[in-house]
Amino acid sequence: MSTLTDELIDVETRALEELGRVADVDALEQWRVTYQGRRHGRLPNLLERLPALPVEERREAGRQANRVRSALESAYTERRAALERAHVTQRLSAEAIDVTLPGRRAHSGGLHPTTRTLREIIEAFRPMGFRVVEGPEVEWDYYNFEALNIPADHPARDQWDTLWLDSEDDEGKRPLLLRTHTSPMQVRVMEAQQPPVRVLVPGRVFRHEATDASHESVFFQVEGLAVDRGVTFADLKGTLYTFARRMFGPDRRVRFRCDFFPFVEPGVDMAIDCFGCRGAGCRTCGQSGWLEIMGAGMVHPGVLKRVGYDPDIYTGFAFGMGPERIAMLRHGIDDIRHFYANDLGFLEQF
Ligand code: PHE
């Protein structure tokens, strides 16, 4: 028959064995109730039998009981601490941030190729005294056509396919439109000030037309206007020649040929020798050796008169060009529709 001492050692052995298998705080609590629980715990159960033992046996069993109790207690404390440490470590690794991961790249925007080209054009003219003004995109028929020597029903209007706005004047005419060019600003600027005038007008223009590789319905123009006493065609040529060399290189040659715009007289189209082939003929210039880059001319006396300038005292020149066309020539872009297709693959190249 086993003594209480034997039973105490037996309980200790099992308790420690089981404690080794305890894997979480709940199981640990279960273990504590089983072995140390005040009411039905195995150890307290055994201790209840102590007082009934004969003196000799009781002394020995009492010593064992104390030893086993504190052995279980410290084993319990140790186990608890270990489980808590493991728990913290687990949480830490679950919530950890991998600081070695590469960061997300911040996307930095850039200027649109049209904006860049506009700025370069403006910088080329600025040293010659031109200031920049802007005007309305919704324009009166009067400024877009009438005041520029293009009366209603004049065939020259065919040159500018127009987007009209839904509005009528007293005579049932449509007076509002989306400007088809920046030239109406010639008239607005001259109406608003006396000579000398030297302005550049960048801005959006609109055409009612089918789009293709060289036509867009919304694009940009830059208008130029210079009016003063004694301005001659030589000033026009000198100014545009200077621009061409600043913009396209110091060895550029220029060509002026007669052209017709109702608001200038004489009118010209200006070309530069092709910088791709230097005039020999290539695909960019369509084998001609020349690239047409703008329309220009001496401001028509009728336009001057209409704004109250005396054409016997004042003369001037005007020009207009498309920045997209200039960017296309410089960068070898083959389709104007790329500019406003919002294709980052295209835009990020500039
Ligand atoms: N406004 C003209 C166009 O859109 C260009 C131009 C401007 C021509 C100024 C002569 C002078 O075609």
Side-chain angles (χ1 to χ4, degrees):
M1 207 199 108
S2 65
T3 63
L4 185 58
T5 304
D6 293 337
E7 283 183 64
L8 281 166
I9 292 173
D10 195 40
V11 164
E12 182 192 15
T13 314
R14 277 206 229 171
L16 294 179
E17 223 177 74
E18 250 176 62
L19 188 63
R21 290 196 293 272
V22 158
D24 56 43
V25 195
D26 288 344
L28 181 66
E29 177 59 11
Q30 201 46 63
W31 179 91
R32 193 191 61 77
V33 172
T34 306
Y35 288 100
Q36 298 170 307
R38 216 170 278 274
R39 305 232 279 138
H40 304 291
R42 299 246 180 102
L43 189 57
N45 278 354
L46 290 182
L47 298 186
E48 266 171 30
R49 281 160 48 195
L50 260 182
L53 289 180
V55 182
E56 275 310 298
E57 212 180 307
R58 192 166 65 204
R59 187 172 296 135
E60 171 59 14
R63 270 200 288 114
Q64 279 302 334
N66 282 336
R67 192 189 57 74
V68 170
R69 185 169 41 215
S70 66
L72 292 195
E73 259 162 29
S74 60
Y76 168 84
T77 314
E78 242 172 62
R79 190 81 193 129
R80 186 170 186 98
L83 283 177
E84 272 164 9
R85 271 198 307 276
H87 182 66
V88 170
T89 312
Q90 248 173 32
R91 264 192 66 172
L92 278 182
S93 67
E95 293 172 8
I97 296 164
D98 183 353
V99 293
T100 67
L101 275 180
R104 290 211 183 105
R105 223 193 162 83
H107 201 86
S108 65
L111 290 178
H112 191 278
T114 301
T115 308
R116 287 174 186 274
T117 311
L118 277 174
R119 289 189 178 186
E120 280 183 67
I121 294 170
I122 289 166
E123 286 319 309
F125 281 106
R126 204 197 292 280
M128 294 186 272
F130 287 81
R131 73 191 169 94
V132 174
V133 294
E134 289 182 278
E137 293 176 355
V138 172
E139 187 54 283
W140 299 103
D141 176 307
Y142 177 76
Y143 289 107
N144 197 83
F145 290 128
E146 210 68 35
L148 293 171
N149 293 340
I150 315 167
D153 307 319
H154 190 282
R157 287 207 177 188
D158 293 351
Q159 207 174 331
W160 294 277
D161 300 301
T162 308
L163 288 155
W164 293 95
L165 288 157
D166 242 349
S167 61
E168 287 183 354
D169 64 15
D170 294 345
E171 289 151 43
K173 286 192 202 152
R174 291 175 299 181
L176 278 176
L177 46 78
L178 296 180
R179 66 177 175 192
T180 60
H181 51 175
T182 43
S183 301
M185 275 304 284
Q186 291 185 29
V187 181
R188 285 180 177 276
V189 167
M190 289 191 284
E191 274 182 355
Q193 72 162 95
Q194 288 302 306
V197 172
R198 245 180 256 182
V199 291
L200 278 183
V201 189
R204 212 177 251 109
V205 300
F206 307 83
R207 301 273 171 99
H208 179 55
E209 61 190 335
T211 60
D212 62 28
S214 50
H215 295 88
E216 255 293 10
S217 49
V218 180
F219 55 100
F220 279 76
Q221 283 191 344
V222 185
E223 193 83 6
L225 175 69
V227 185
D228 203 349
R229 286 172 193 266
V231 173
T232 69
F233 198 84
D235 296 311
L236 178 156
K237 288 176 77 176
T239 304
L240 296 184
Y241 182 44
T242 304
F243 162 73
R245 288 161 43 114
R246 287 199 178 134
M247 193 76 189
F248 297 101
D251 53 351
R252 277 294 65 72
R253 292 185 297 148
V254 291
R255 183 193 70 183
F256 293 92
R257 292 198 304 188
C258 290
D259 201 348
F260 172 70
F261 303 96
F263 39 92
V264 288
E265 179 58 36
V268 293
D269 92 56
M270 176 187 157
I272 53 173
D273 63 323
C274 179
F275 42 77
C277 59
R278 296 180 165 271
C282 68
R283 252 184 56 196
T284 307
C285 58
Q287 308 306 327
S288 73
W290 294 97
L291 303 169
E292 286 159 24
I293 59 166
M294 68 174 103
M298 300 304 290
V299 180
H300 195 285
V303 177
L304 294 174
K305 254 186 250 168
R306 222 169 270 119
V307 299
Y309 286 10
D310 182 346
D312 290 331
I313 302 176
Y314 296 110
T315 48
F317 63 85
F319 55 89
M321 70 187 105
E324 292 92 347
R325 173 161 168 78
I326 287 176
M328 287 170 79
L329 293 173
R330 288 177 118 196
H331 302 295
I333 299 163
D334 59 1
D335 194 321
I336 192 172
R337 290 169 296 189
H338 286 314
F339 284 87
Y340 307 113
N342 285 339
D343 175 358
L344 282 181
F346 170 75
L347 294 173
E348 280 175 346
Q349 296 175 60
F350 300 94

